[in-house]
Amino acid sequence: MVEKMTDEQQEFLNAEGKVVIKACPGSGKTYTAVHKLLSYVDNWKDYHSGVAVLSFTNVASNEIYEKAQSIHGSLGKLGYPHFIGTVDSFIDEFIVLRYGHLYTDSKVRPRIALSDNWNIPYKYWRTECYRNGCVDNIVQFYYGVDKKLYKGNKRVVCDRRKAKMLPCQQYKKMLSDMGIVFQNETALFAYHLLKKYPEIASAIVERFPIIIIDEVQDTSINQMAVFDLLSESGMKSMFLVGDPDQSIYEWRNANPECMLQKLEDPNWKTIELTGNFRSSQNICNVTSFFSASLRGNDSNNAIGDWKNEKERPVLLLTKKNSEEEIINYFLDKCRKMEIEILPKNVAVLTRGRIYSDTDVIGLWKTKEIELFAKAAYEWKCGSRKKAYQSALKASYSMIFNEDIDEYVMNQRIRKYTDEDTWKDYVIDVLIGMPDIEIEIGEWVKNFSVIFKTICIKYAYEISTDKNLKDTFKIKRSDKNTPNFKQIPLRKYFEKKIEYQYTRSSIHGVKGETYDAVLIYVKGNAGSTITPKLLMEGSLDQELMHLAYVAMTRPRRLLMLAMPETKRIENFGRFPEELWNYEVL
């Protein structure tokens, strides 16, 4: 933990107004943001306005709260009128749900729906958009502030120019008429609401005169548009804290350009945190080659306890070595450096699935069996709420053969049976599921029998269109992984495991620190992290950001294992004077 503030951190603590803080990995940005929060809270006199501290996930928001607790000792002052939460929850709670009735046609409070929980039963629109090659799921559409349709950060272009209203536009109007707003469009809804009623923006600014946004590189264009309106409505101070090189959620509409524009905006003051408390200088030196913002500049300065670690990062070039051989080589290196092999100290990171043999394309033949399998994993190892929701949707589809929204689904269930009995039925399905350590092929067979038995117990008839043999079905064979049916079900859903060491996807360790990290690049091809991408790929793309996040996790040892590649030293990102080249 940072104990003494650097001059850069102190500048952040003293700043007011519109401020953007560009913070390198390991710079203690969250720690400093928490100190900034507490500097306000300790002297706060107003009972009806407060400070809002926002991030982009519940995990990150909880980390801010816990850090504040560890520093402050008592958080009695941190409840109302202050707010710690996610950007989405702030926009939903204080703008959309509170004032949204002013903007809906029926003047009623809008309903916010998650796109994976609501499927409107109008197959025409979904089919048309799929047929035209736009998106495979129409709920992924969202409008931007420019009134264009997007999926992720890419424009959706439809060639049906002669139509008065495109299928996607008809679909969005239908949702609007029903008062439904998908979560990925609440920011746009809030933006239009604030534009139409500027007095709402003034009221929110009065309620929260100070806003601190952590991990601001993960904002979407629509979200930033909302906060721009607030910052222009008399807000005392707004602080945007982040690192554009660590933007790894573009698939969730995150756009690092939002932060980059603020760095260039003369109306915003920029403060840089360049001291790295986490990594050795040797690690800082090599990771700078993968940072777009450090392009042409010196590497960040190591200022932490391990700044003088002598071990250079290792570039491990593999031939046809097994995954086990590669990991054991890394663990032996850790032991030689006297790094204790524990989950909190050592991590093996991969892009995507942590078990390479579970990457089977077209594994699930129907959405129902995939949902049930996911429910089984969540029930045993994850969120029981998510398990229930997945089992609920799959069970409903099996009985009613419909794919519809939650509101209509609940109405149909009430007509078919009573709600308590239905809930008991879904929970019985979850409790009766086979153990997730069973081979996936056997799991599917066993579950088919169990599900039929539970339906008979409750006298629920499976739809005649849902033949169990055809519905509870997985892929028959796969030439790349012939034995995939013998792999336990658990491994198909596990994204992070902590046993002797941590094994995780890169997304799973964002913001974490380890003594030693192995980044395992599995192959030479595909839309993933590959040797070619690392050698010559654009530094501005999300995959490179992902590689950069992984490389900046360790304190002492960074090892990058990838298939042996010719002339890698000639590409400039792996200078031999900074890396130890080793061949396995």
Side-chain angles (χ1 to χ4, degrees):
M1 180 181 288
V2 181
E3 293 184 356
K4 184 179 179 181
M5 292 284 178
T6 65
D7 291 343
E8 294 170 338
Q9 290 174 314
Q10 195 62 51
E11 184 182 4
F12 175 19
L13 288 181
N14 296 336
E16 295 293 349
K18 296 181 179 181
V19 185
V20 55
I21 296 92
K22 181 177 176 294
C24 78
S27 60
K29 67 175 180 58
T30 302
Y31 175 89
T32 313
V34 167
H35 270 285
K36 183 69 175 175
L37 164 65
L38 295 177
S39 71
Y40 288 122
V41 170
D42 284 341
N43 302 295
W44 202 259
K45 305 297 183 184
D46 199 320
Y47 293 104
H48 304 293
S49 67
V51 181
V53 183
L54 313 177
S55 194
F56 287 84
T57 64
N58 290 322
V59 172
S61 297
N62 290 338
E63 181 188 4
I64 290 170
Y65 189 90
E66 289 167 4
K67 270 190 167 65
Q69 189 174 32
S70 66
I71 295 168
H72 197 278
S74 171
L75 288 182
K77 298 180 180 180
L78 205 54
Y80 180 87
H82 308 296
F83 178 82
I84 296 176
T86 65
V87 168
D88 280 338
S89 64
F90 179 85
I91 291 174
D92 292 353
E93 180 178 345
F94 295 104
I95 305 178
V96 175
L97 295 177
R98 190 161 299 189
Y99 300 103
H101 64 281
L102 298 173
Y103 196 71
T104 59
D105 292 335
S106 56
K107 300 303 178 186
V108 297
R109 181 172 172 167
R111 290 184 288 172
I112 297 176
L114 295 174
S115 61
D116 62 349
N117 286 341
W118 289 67
N119 287 302
I120 307 301
Y122 298 92
K123 294 183 179 179
Y124 165 75
W125 288 274
R126 295 204 300 270
T127 303
E128 282 299 296
C129 291
Y130 177 75
R131 183 182 297 140
N132 290 333
C134 295
V135 292
D136 57 359
N137 190 340
I138 195 169
V139 299
Q140 295 169 336
F141 280 116
Y142 70 96
Y143 276 111
V145 292
D146 57 1
K147 299 182 180 180
K148 307 296 183 183
L149 279 166
Y150 289 83
K151 179 191 176 186
N153 287 324
K154 294 183 179 180
R155 278 277 311 279
V156 174
V157 180
C158 182
D159 59 6
R160 297 181 59 174
R161 301 295 181 195
K162 295 180 181 179
K164 290 184 179 179
M165 185 176 286
L166 299 176
C168 47
Q169 293 170 331
Q170 294 176 6
Y171 179 77
K172 288 300 181 185
K173 185 179 185 306
M174 178 183 65
L175 292 175
S176 178
D177 292 344
M178 296 171 65
I180 294 173
V181 183
F182 283 130
Q183 185 62 67
N184 64 354
E185 288 188 307
T186 55
L188 179 70
F189 186 96
Y191 171 79
H192 287 310
L193 184 63
L194 297 180
K195 287 285 285 186
K196 187 173 182 179
Y197 300 101
E199 59 270 29
I200 295 176
S202 299
I204 293 168
V205 166
E206 186 175 345
R207 175 67 179 83
F208 294 105
I210 297 167
I211 294 180
I212 303 170
I213 306 178
D214 195 17
E215 306 288 2
V216 75
Q217 74 276 355
D218 293 329
T219 48
S220 69
I221 291 175
N222 289 357
Q223 288 169 336
M224 186 57 74
V226 170
F227 289 106
D228 281 341
L229 289 179
L230 295 180
S231 70
E232 294 162 5
S233 299
M235 182 166 289
K236 178 183 176 182
S237 290
M238 182 176 287
F239 302 93
L240 310 178
V241 188
D243 178 5
D245 287 321
Q246 296 189 66
S247 179
I248 60 174
Y249 294 107
E250 292 182 37
W251 53 276
R252 286 196 325 213
N253 307 337
N255 194 323
E257 280 297 319
C258 295
M259 182 179 182
L260 292 171
Q261 289 170 5
K262 292 293 184 287
L263 292 170
E264 300 296 326
D265 190 335
N267 296 311
W268 287 75
K269 179 180 180 179
T270 296
I271 297 173
E272 293 196 46
L273 304 183
T274 61
N276 188 325
F277 289 92
R278 177 188 295 143
S279 302
S280 69
Q281 190 62 54
N282 281 332
I283 293 175
C284 290
N285 290 342
V286 301
T287 56
S288 65
F289 287 86
F290 301 89
S291 162
S293 61
L294 288 176
R295 193 163 23 201
N297 298 316
D298 293 334
S299 59
N300 295 124
N301 297 318
I303 57 177
D305 293 340
W306 294 102
K307 61 182 179 182
N308 295 321
E309 168 63 60
K310 295 180 180 179
E311 188 68 38
R312 292 194 299 180
V314 176
L315 181 61
L316 181 63
L317 301 175
T318 63
K319 296 181 180 178
K320 293 185 178 181
N321 308 96
S322 69
E323 190 172 278
E324 184 179 7
E325 288 176 321
I326 293 167
I327 293 175
N328 284 337
Y329 186 92
F330 166 65
L331 296 178
D332 286 341
K333 186 75 172 179
C334 292
R335 294 184 185 98
K336 289 175 183 176
M337 294 177 64
E338 298 184 348
I339 296 173
E340 191 174 4
I341 311 297
L342 293 172
K344 66 178 182 179
N345 297 338
V346 177
V348 176
L349 308 181
T350 56
R351 162 76 167 99
R353 294 181 178 274
I354 63 176
Y355 304 107
S356 56
D357 54 359
T358 62
D359 193 9
V360 179
I361 297 172
L363 172 65
W364 309 103
K365 289 303 179 182
T366 67
K367 65 177 182 180
E368 287 87 1
I369 189 58
E370 183 177 7
L371 280 170
F372 277 127
K374 181 179 179 181
Y377 174 78
E378 291 290 346
W379 187 257
K380 301 289 184 181
C381 299
S383 162
R384 294 207 160 183
K385 180 179 179 180
K386 290 181 180 178
Y388 182 85
Q389 288 298 323
S390 293
L392 171 65
K393 287 190 287 185
S395 297
Y396 183 87
S397 181
M398 291 299 298
I399 303 299
F400 296 96
N401 190 32
E402 289 181 337
D403 181 19
I404 61 178
D405 68 67
E406 187 176 341
Y407 176 75
V408 177
M409 182 174 70
N410 289 335
Q411 286 185 320
R412 290 291 306 273
I413 290 170
R414 291 189 196 104
K415 290 180 180 179
Y416 184 74
T417 183
D418 67 89
E419 287 184 88
D420 289 338
T421 303
W422 178 264
K423 288 178 182 177
D424 290 342
Y425 159 69
V426 175
I427 290 172
D428 270 3
V429 170
L430 288 165
I431 293 173
M433 285 178 167
D435 192 274
I436 59 175
E437 297 300 333
I438 292 176
E439 297 172 356
I440 187 171
E442 196 64 27
W443 189 94
V444 172
K445 291 179 183 177
N446 292 350
F447 178 68
S448 179
V449 175
I450 291 167
F451 181 76
K452 184 177 181 179
T453 302
I454 294 173
C455 287
I456 291 172
K457 173 185 173 182
Y458 283 84
Y460 292 167
E461 293 186 10
I462 298 172
S463 170
T464 55
D465 294 314
K466 296 293 183 183
N467 180 282
L468 281 182
K469 185 177 179 181
D470 293 333
T471 306
F472 290 176
K473 187 177 181 181
I474 59 174
K475 192 175 186 178
R476 292 183 63 180
S477 61
D478 187 85
K479 63 180 181 180
N480 295 321
T481 313
N483 300 320
F484 74 94
K485 289 186 179 180
Q486 281 73 56
I487 299 170
L489 176 75
R490 169 181 57 81
K491 291 192 174 184
Y492 284 90
F493 294 96
E494 204 160 47
K495 295 180 180 178
K496 185 175 182 180
I497 184 171
E498 297 178 343
Y499 182 50
Q500 291 177 311
Y501 53 87
T502 292
R503 184 163 185 168
S504 175
S505 66
I506 297 170
H507 282 98
V509 296
K510 176 80 185 303
E512 297 187 8
T513 298
Y514 301 90
D515 286 331
V517 167
L518 167 66
I519 304 169
Y520 178 27
V521 177
K522 298 175 181 179
N524 288 301
S527 300
T528 185
I529 297 174
T530 61
K532 182 177 176 64
L533 174 106
L534 294 172
M535 289 189 294
E536 53 185 290
S538 168
L539 297 178
D540 298 306
Q541 61 182 300
E542 185 179 14
L543 280 173
M544 194 65 78
H545 294 164
L546 203 61
Y548 181 72
V549 166
M551 291 183 187
T552 55
R553 297 309 95 198
R555 297 184 184 96
R556 300 179 58 194
L557 173 63
L558 167 62
M559 182 178 290
L560 176 61
M562 64 184 187
E564 190 170 19
T565 304
K566 294 180 180 179
R567 301 187 301 278
I568 189 172
E569 66 278 0
N570 297 335
F571 283 87
R573 290 185 183 162
F574 294 93
E576 293 181 278
E577 64 271 18
L578 298 180
W579 290 83
N580 282 336
Y581 278 63
E582 299 180 13
V583 178
L584 184 59

